[in-house]
Amino acid sequence: MKFDVISIFPDFFSSITGSGLLKRALAEGKVEIRIHDLRGFTDDRHRTVDDRPFGGGPGMVFKPEPIFRAVEAIRAAAGEDAFPVILLSPQGSLLTQRRVEELARQRQIILICGRYEGVDERVAEYLATDELSIGDYVLSGGELAAAVVMECVTRLVPGVLGNAESAEQDSFASRWANAEEPHGERGLLDCPHYTRPADFRGIKVPEVLLSGHHEAVHRWRRQRSLEKTLHRRPELIERFPLSRHDREWLEGIQRATGRAAPR
Ligand code: SAM
């Protein structure tokens, strides 16, 4: 997996590539991250990347030419152009785990980081293949958003997570995917996790987890996942393909709490 990031703040990325999962994945050659300074694709003495907005108004807008040149140079170096060119934008489609899984199947991804008022709309219309938002809030630049994309995609690149870490058990994971709606947003929130000590200041780990009874542990985890999802993210459970056992369990919760159980 190769990430090509276009930014006016290339130094920003040293903080995220210098520790943890990304550092390890880079060292092992599982991913490659190349940061391209947008100013390197300007053609004036002042290395200008932005200009005032047509029609007036506050702030500055990233000019299209340096961004087009940067993407064209990356494509030319790769010898192909059939990979995603993602413009990070609060107006883009929301980044979800399903989207992350799709991106993890790519060989190369270009990430364009905006700043100021944003990026000339022709980049979104004629250059980017996707616009992605990491949430309904506004950051001052796309660098943090690009870092989020690289971090969550990298952990799904085969071989990056060790045996001790499993992405399949995570919240939102598509182990729950339904063949009838393969692109739908599926998944439950993960169950609670505990580790030693079994008794911390009198707060005890649920007995079943110490029982060594695998089936009971599995059932407990499934029920906690359903329960957490029902209370915190009911819209996820509404779209989830519930089994008969799931439904019975949720109806039990409904009887106990007076909450509506999903169908
Ligand atoms: N005027 C723009 C708007 O209201 O849609 C906001 C521009 S924002 C201050 C500057 C840059 O930060 C954007 O071009 C984008 O690259 C990045 N950005 C801000 N919020 C983001 C988000 N939620 N997801 C992804 N990128 C974001």
Side-chain angles (χ1 to χ4, degrees):
M1 168 64 76
K2 296 188 176 92
F3 296 105
D4 287 280
V5 186
I6 302 169
S7 162
I8 58 166
F9 293 124
D11 292 344
F12 171 93
F13 296 93
S14 54
S15 60
I16 63 145
T17 53
S19 58
L21 174 108
L22 279 176
K23 181 182 178 185
R24 197 175 73 207
L26 286 164
E28 291 172 357
K30 301 272 174 22
V31 299
E32 229 178 274
I33 298 180
R34 294 178 293 222
I35 312 294
H36 307 269
D37 184 351
L38 185 60
R39 293 190 194 281
F41 297 90
T42 55
D43 58 3
D44 65 318
R45 209 156 49 89
H46 302 291
R47 311 211 311 154
T48 310
V49 292
D50 57 340
D51 208 336
R52 290 190 304 276
F54 278 126
M60 300 294 271
V61 176
F62 269 5
K63 293 159 65 61
E65 307 96 306
I67 299 180
F68 270 75
R69 280 190 211 116
V71 170
E72 284 157 5
I74 295 164
R75 282 174 166 167
E80 62 162 315
D81 57 9
F83 45 82
V85 177
I86 297 175
L87 174 64
L88 282 320
S89 162
Q91 301 172 23
S93 55
L94 276 180
L95 183 67
T96 60
Q97 190 64 15
R98 184 54 50 85
R99 204 62 220 291
V100 172
E101 288 166 0
E102 283 166 13
L103 291 174
R105 290 195 279 273
Q106 301 290 331
R107 274 170 300 152
Q108 189 164 356
I109 298 170
I110 300 180
L111 297 162
I112 304 171
C113 307
R115 282 266 154 185
Y116 317 128
E117 279 310 305
V119 175
D120 186 290
E121 191 67 16
R122 286 164 289 190
V123 170
E125 274 189 46
Y126 297 100
L127 185 65
T129 58
D130 306 82
E131 274 185 83
L132 270 189
S133 165
I134 62 161
D136 287 345
Y137 41 79
V138 178
L139 300 160
S140 54
E143 285 76 10
L144 264 177
V148 167
V149 172
M150 290 193 286
E151 151 79 24
C152 50
V153 170
T154 296
R155 58 195 301 285
L156 297 190
V157 169
V160 166
L161 289 184
N163 281 342
E165 310 148 300
S166 167
E168 275 177 31
Q169 301 299 319
D170 285 337
S171 303
F172 316 112
S174 72
R175 67 195 152 127
W176 308 113
N178 176 343
E180 287 161 27
E181 196 200 346
H183 302 296
E185 268 317 310
R186 296 264 169 192
L188 296 174
L189 300 183
D190 197 4
C191 63
H193 298 284
Y194 297 88
T195 186
R196 269 178 276 274
D199 184 337
F200 170 66
R201 297 182 181 174
I203 311 166
K204 295 197 173 62
V205 164
E207 200 70 37
V208 62
L209 297 180
L210 313 175
S211 68
H213 190 316
H214 293 301
E215 212 177 293
V217 170
H218 178 78
R219 192 168 50 245
W220 182 88
R221 287 184 167 154
R222 175 78 170 193
Q223 290 173 348
R224 295 290 85 69
S225 266
L226 287 164
E227 199 175 24
K228 246 189 181 184
T229 313
L230 177 67
H231 292 154
R232 296 184 183 184
R233 299 290 302 274
E235 82 285 4
L236 289 180
I237 216 159
E238 285 293 340
R239 291 172 297 191
F240 182 75
L242 296 168
S243 70
R244 188 169 54 82
H245 284 110
D246 293 337
R247 244 179 265 117
E248 283 167 9
W249 165 253
L250 288 165
E251 279 160 15
I253 295 183
Q254 180 193 27
R255 278 194 296 278
T257 63
R259 274 175 196 268
R263 283 155 290 112

